[in-house]
Structures are given as structure tokens and as C-alpha cells.
Amino acid sequence: MLDIPSPCIGVCRLDPATGLCAGCMRTLAEIAAWPAASSAERLAIVQRLRARRRAAGRTSAADSRPRRRRPAEDLH
């Protein structure tokens, strides 16, 4: 199992207008699902967060780094 760390940055406050966490930009459902999520599910959440940050103009240095790809069998 890949170790995909939580995207939480410790600024835990849901924005009532967007329904997203002001810190990590996850939805409440994504936050709740994270602890039990598989590596594939976590990766999908992280990819959605990357797109949300770009759309909001909140990119980070990590968004510009190339991702290390692992073979699909490593994601299970």
C-alpha cells in the first residue's frame, strides 16, 4: 500500500459558501472518507484537490513537481 499522507494543513474550517475546508480544500465527505480510503481512493482525492487549487489560484510548489508514477499493481 502506498503511503499517501493526509492533505490536512491544520486549518480546519469549512467554508459555508463552497463546502470546502479552508485549509486543504477537501469536502466534508472526503475528510470523513480519508482514514478508511484505499491508496487509489486517496490518490483520486489528491488529484481532485490539485485541480481545485489550480481553479482557485492556490497552487503550491508541490503542484508543479512531476509525480512519481508507480505501476498500477502497486495501487492495490
Side-chain angles (χ1 to χ4, degrees):
M1 180 173 181
L2 290 175
D3 183 29
I4 301 174
S6 171
C8 178
I9 61 168
V11 180
C12 305
R13 186 179 67 249
L14 287 180
D15 181 322
T18 65
L20 300 175
C21 174
C24 67
M25 298 188 79
R26 287 183 290 174
T27 65
L28 188 56
E30 290 168 337
I31 293 167
W34 188 267
S38 68
S39 292
E41 291 165 332
R42 287 182 176 193
L43 184 59
I45 291 169
V46 169
Q47 289 171 336
R48 287 193 301 269
L49 295 178
R50 188 177 188 190
R52 283 183 200 143
R53 284 193 303 271
R54 283 187 175 159
R58 289 180 47 186
T59 57
S60 70
D63 289 331
S64 299
R65 283 196 310 258
R67 298 288 188 240
R68 285 183 278 156
R69 302 284 181 212
R70 294 190 183 223
E73 63 269 7
D74 286 351
L75 295 176
H76 300 286

